[in-house]
Structures are given as C-alpha cells and as structure tokens.
Amino acid sequence: MSNSSRDSAEGAGWGSAEPGAYRALMPGRTEKLSWLSPRTLWAARNGVLASWFGDPTGRTRSRWVAQRAAAGAPADKVIGRDDPDRFSFLVIGDTGEGDDPQYAVVPGLLEAGRDTRFAVLASDVIYPVGSADDYGTKFFRPYRDYRAPIYAIPGNHDWYEDLGGFMRVFCDDAPPLAPEAAPRRFSRAWLRSLLWHRPRPEDGARLTEARELRPAPSQQAAQPGPYWAVDAGPVRIVGIDTGLLGTVDAEQGAWLREVSAGDRPKILVTGSPLYVDGEHHPCEIEGGGTVDDIVRDPAHHYVAAIGGDIHNYQRYPVDVDGRTVQYVVAGGGGAFMHATHTIPRVSVAGVTEDDFRSYPLRGDSLAFYSALYGRRLRMRRLFTLTEAEATAVIAERLGIRTGRAPGDGARVTRRTRIVAGLLGTARRPERRKRFRLPVRKIYTSVFSPGSATYSPPFFKCFLRLDVTPEAVRLRCYAATGNRAQEVDPPVEDEVTIPLG
C-alpha cells in the first residue's frame, strides 16, 4: 500500500513529477464551472428564494413520491438485494462538476472498487443546478467503467430544478410532475414562483444518448424515490433526502422512523452531515425531532451516519450511551475542496482532536489555498506557503499534533502567521476571544465557494466499506490527480465498526 498524506508530503501528492492518466477519460472539451460567475449564482438562486419565501421542497418531494408509488414503486421504499453476508460497496459524495477533480477520482475508484457490489452517491450528483443534460459528462461518462449499479441521494444542487433530472436518471425515467395550482397573488409563494429557476423545456434531450455510456444490465439500478433503504447482506443502508435547506419533511420523517426500526444494523447516508467542522447539526424533522434522535436511539441500531455536502473528509467517533457511532463527512468526490484548515481544534460530543480525523490534513489544506490565492491575487511570493510551513503554523495556531510532522527547517514567521490568518485558519480556543473580526466565517462563506483548481494535488476522496456479519471496515481513499495515487490509492483513514 502506498504512503498516505500522514506518512509523507509525497504521499499527499506534493512534488509529483508524473500527472495522472485521468485526463484520457475526459471529453475533449470541458466547461470550467466558476462559482463566482454571476450566471452560475443566478441559476442557483432557488436555495436563497426558499429561505426567504418558504421552502417548497417537502411538498414537491411528496408529489414525486406519490407519482412513483402510482407507478408501482414499493410502499416501504426498500430495495432488496441478493448480496452475500460478506461484500463491499463504495460511497462517493458531491461529485458532479465534470472537470479535472471529478475525473481524477475515477482511476483510483476503479482500482480500489473493482470487486464492490454497488456504489452510493451521497449528495449533489450534478452541479450547478442538477440539469438532465449535464448527466452525460458529469455522471454517465466518468463512471462508465464501473460495472456495478449506482444508487444516489440528492443534494441541494440537484433540487435547483425541482429534482427533475435526478428522478429521470435514478428513478426509472420518472415523467415530469404536473404543474401545481397557481398560488394566491401577492402571497410569499407567488413572489417565490415569479423568481423560481426552472429547467429549460428542452432539458434532457441528450439523456438517451448519455445512457449508452452505462448500458450493461449489471450497471442498472432503479430506486423508488429520492429517499430509500437498501437491504444488503447483514446491513440496511438508509438514504435520506435533505432537500434545499438541509431539513426533512414530516412524511419522510415518519418513513425514516419506520424503516429504522428493528435489530438489523444500519448505516445512514444523508445529504447533510450530522457532525461537521467541529459542530453538531442534528437535522430537524418537520413536526418535531431530529434525524440524529433517530440515529442515537439504541433500538434502531445505527452504527454510522455518512453525509455529503461538505467537500472533504471528516470522522467523529461519538459515544452514544456506551456504544460508538461513527459520524462521517464524505463529500470529496469531485467538487471544489472545502478547506479543513478552518476547522477549530475539535471538542464536540466527547470527541477530541486526538479522536478526530480529516482529509486533507489542515496543513495541506492551508498550503493548497495559499497557492491558489497567491496565483489569483498575483502575490505568489507573499501568499504561497510550502506544505512544511503551513503544517508548522497550523500546529502553532491550534496547539495540536498535526497528522504529519512539519519537517526539518520549517519555521513559523510573521509572514506565515499573516497568511494563515487571512486564509481563515482557526485558532486555539483560549485565543479566539481576542479577535472580534469573524475572519473564518467570512472566508468560508465568501471565498471558499469559488475555489476550484485544475492542477494536482486535488485532495479528493471516496469511501470503501467492507461488510461482514461481525463488522464494517470503513476506509477513506485519496485521489490527488497524480499517477502515484491512481495506481495505488492511499488509505487516509480506516476504522472497524462492530455490528454486534
């Protein structure tokens, strides 16, 4: 097994002279998606409109579910499979930008996942707005050589066109929803409808051609709706849809309680992680309660909760009444990288910094962003930090043992401290009160969403889960875009989860 980022800078992808072969998988021309483009921001406006004028997601989802039920989908939304008691599957989160970082994941995924029985896409299958015509280059083409079925749960971006493209691809080519009755004039719903982004009438015209990229019977999967459960071997995998704003409607909440009952060990897959960036986000259910209440209930036997939406890897082993539930963020499947260097020193739900795991390491994240903004601002000499300098300043500011030692000769200077502060690097808790300017909040909400890059290392990742009747082994594999990590994908984190 090759070195990981915890072993060496080369294992992290720094300094590699040989680029990966992933570009041979890409179409001849790819569109570079910019999250700072006014056109992109305007197309993705529905999330803002939902927060201002009311979120219609629950009602629209209920109509999709009713339509699928009328077409013969099982009422319990459980997908039965014939997997043996010992099998493996993949989880890939936040994939579909259709550019270098997404395709860079594919060679290692095919290598590490060649014997897996299926894959699950966890949130945001297609960026920026889930259009059906984007599935060719952002789903069917990148995964054309993965020979097993792929299930998916939608993320907020898949909802920006009311989930039409997602339902067509994953739910047996579901027909469009009939339009709802017009809302009362001058109501909040009426104002929302005036501004609401909708798909183009011709959207999906290229979908039939795109499907030919994954035509084999072994690759096909039809799921009962945007949320579902899969009974596979000894476990049940429960996938929930958190819509535009990261919540669950009452109808889906009632289903989740029903499908979670029983002694069978369960793994939750959700579009909104329950623990992320050192904070707890339990995910509200309309009408009362939270998703995490259901996960924590010992009668439901959840052993892990895996969420997308945040584009990196994080793991929190939380003690829940004497048993450990692994809460995982797994959104590193292709979209731009969300920083990890902005995560404060972890202390949440009994999980400390020593228990917490992330990828990329905070030092690598800071070095990545310093190089990115050095190029953008044409201030490379000031902004760009070596991975050793970035790791050293992370250790000082957070007071932690970094996942990889800084290396000989790495010094923390005034310049490195200034750059770390400007790029939102967290500080140790006892020092935070001295600084009133919310630099980290400004950085993560304003600068990070435009942070795509097209040269390795990309710091992408995917999960492989190996299931037996006794345990699940979860491994996080890295994808940097360099040849070394394609041929032998390094394991960045590994944990064995008992099923007893």
Side-chain angles (χ1 to χ4, degrees):
M1 185 178 297
S2 63
N3 283 348
S4 73
S5 68
R6 293 178 174 271
D7 299 315
S8 67
E10 292 75 17
W14 297 114
S16 174
E18 186 178 3
Y22 68 88
R23 277 194 155 273
L25 305 173
M26 299 176 67
R29 181 179 177 274
T30 57
E31 180 183 354
K32 305 298 185 184
L33 179 61
S34 171
W35 288 104
L36 299 181
S37 163
R39 180 180 178 183
T40 301
L41 294 173
W42 177 243
R45 64 188 178 271
N46 286 0
V48 175
L49 294 175
S51 64
W52 287 354
F53 300 115
D55 184 4
T57 303
R59 187 171 62 252
T60 305
R61 182 190 294 117
S62 181
R63 293 168 65 215
W64 278 122
V65 169
Q67 180 174 289
R68 291 290 293 129
D76 61 3
K77 302 170 187 62
V78 176
I79 303 166
R81 292 181 51 86
D82 60 353
D83 301 298
D85 282 348
R86 298 175 184 272
F87 75 99
S88 303
F89 68 100
L90 300 174
V91 176
I92 324 159
D94 298 87
T95 53
E97 287 194 4
D99 51 17
D100 292 55
Q102 179 179 8
Y103 280 85
V105 176
V106 175
L109 181 149
L110 295 175
E111 178 64 29
R114 64 175 61 203
D115 61 339
T116 52
R117 303 275 297 191
F118 59 89
V120 176
L121 298 187
S123 180
D124 290 339
V125 180
I126 300 294
Y127 293 96
V129 294
S131 297
D133 274 338
D134 283 340
Y135 272 85
T137 57
K138 299 178 181 181
F139 173 73
F140 288 104
R141 186 182 186 99
Y143 310 120
R144 64 189 301 179
D145 293 325
Y146 181 67
R147 309 312 298 175
I150 298 177
Y151 305 101
I153 56 167
N156 57 314
H157 287 269
D158 300 303
W159 269 101
Y160 286 162
E161 289 191 347
D162 290 335
L163 212 62
F166 180 96
M167 294 297 293
R168 288 188 64 178
V169 171
F170 293 104
C171 298
D172 205 18
D173 208 15
L177 284 175
E180 281 192 295
R184 181 171 52 86
R185 285 174 64 84
F186 305 113
S187 65
R188 294 174 71 204
W190 179 77
L191 290 171
R192 183 184 64 223
S193 69
L194 292 179
L195 297 171
W196 199 251
H197 172 79
R198 295 177 176 85
R200 296 172 291 105
E202 68 275 16
D203 188 49
R206 299 191 297 270
L207 200 50
T208 299
E209 179 184 354
R211 292 183 195 275
E212 292 303 312
L213 295 168
R214 281 180 54 84
S218 65
Q219 296 175 308
Q220 307 310 307
Q223 57 192 57
Y227 57 91
W228 42 261
V230 170
D231 282 344
V235 300
R236 170 168 284 184
I237 303 158
V238 180
I240 61 171
D241 169 18
T242 54
L244 279 171
L245 301 182
T247 58
V248 169
D249 63 280
E251 180 181 326
Q252 183 180 185
W255 169 85
L256 179 59
R257 291 184 176 96
E258 291 178 7
V259 83
S260 297
D263 292 339
R264 192 173 193 150
K266 298 173 188 72
I267 298 169
L268 181 74
V269 182
T270 168
S272 299
L274 304 181
Y275 283 86
V276 60
D277 294 347
E279 299 174 349
H280 183 209
H281 298 271
C283 189
E284 293 183 3
I285 297 175
E286 180 186 17
T290 69
V291 170
D292 200 30
D293 291 338
I294 296 172
V295 170
R296 297 171 70 92
D297 188 331
H300 295 154
H301 298 275
Y302 277 93
V303 297
I306 303 171
D309 190 51
I310 302 301
H311 306 165
N312 53 45
Y313 172 82
Q314 302 173 43
R315 180 169 64 83
Y316 302 81
V318 177
D319 180 85
V320 179
D321 299 326
R323 62 192 177 92
T324 299
V325 178
Q326 299 290 342
Y327 290 87
V328 177
V329 178
F336 69 87
M337 187 191 88
H338 277 129
T340 58
H341 65 267
T342 58
I343 301 173
R345 189 169 68 189
V346 171
S347 180
V348 60
V351 179
T352 67
E353 187 66 36
D354 289 340
D355 307 314
F356 171 70
R357 292 291 182 271
S358 70
Y359 177 77
L361 299 175
R362 290 184 178 94
D364 290 329
S365 171
L366 178 57
F368 174 97
Y369 273 95
S370 73
L372 175 65
Y373 283 102
R375 292 193 300 271
R376 285 190 171 177
L377 300 174
R378 301 180 185 275
M379 302 173 69
R380 299 190 186 200
R381 291 186 64 184
L382 171 62
F383 262 87
T384 303
L385 306 179
T386 67
E387 55 82 20
E389 290 173 328
T391 300
V393 75
I394 287 287
E396 179 189 81
R397 285 178 69 94
L398 271 70
I400 63 172
R401 292 177 299 185
T402 55
R404 183 178 70 246
D408 296 336
R411 295 190 306 117
V412 178
T413 65
R414 184 179 182 184
R415 179 183 73 89
T416 59
R417 292 188 182 105
I418 290 172
V419 171
L422 289 173
L423 293 180
T425 306
R427 296 187 67 86
R428 62 182 76 183
E430 62 270 20
R431 293 188 180 182
R432 283 185 215 147
K433 293 182 180 179
R434 300 181 189 177
F435 297 88
R436 296 187 179 275
L437 182 66
V439 173
R440 177 173 174 261
K441 184 176 181 180
I442 292 171
Y443 174 82
T444 54
S445 62
V446 177
F447 293 107
S448 185
S451 301
T453 186
Y454 300 102
S455 57
F458 296 125
F459 297 110
K460 301 289 96 188
C461 61
F462 60 92
L463 306 184
R464 175 182 168 123
L465 290 87
D466 302 308
V467 180
T468 71
E470 297 78 31
V472 175
R473 181 172 65 165
L474 182 152
R475 285 177 284 179
C476 171
Y477 284 90
T480 66
N482 290 321
R483 182 65 176 161
Q485 285 81 35
E486 283 185 353
V487 174
D488 188 8
V491 176
E492 289 291 336
D493 185 36
E494 180 175 343
V495 63
T496 298
I497 307 169
L499 295 184

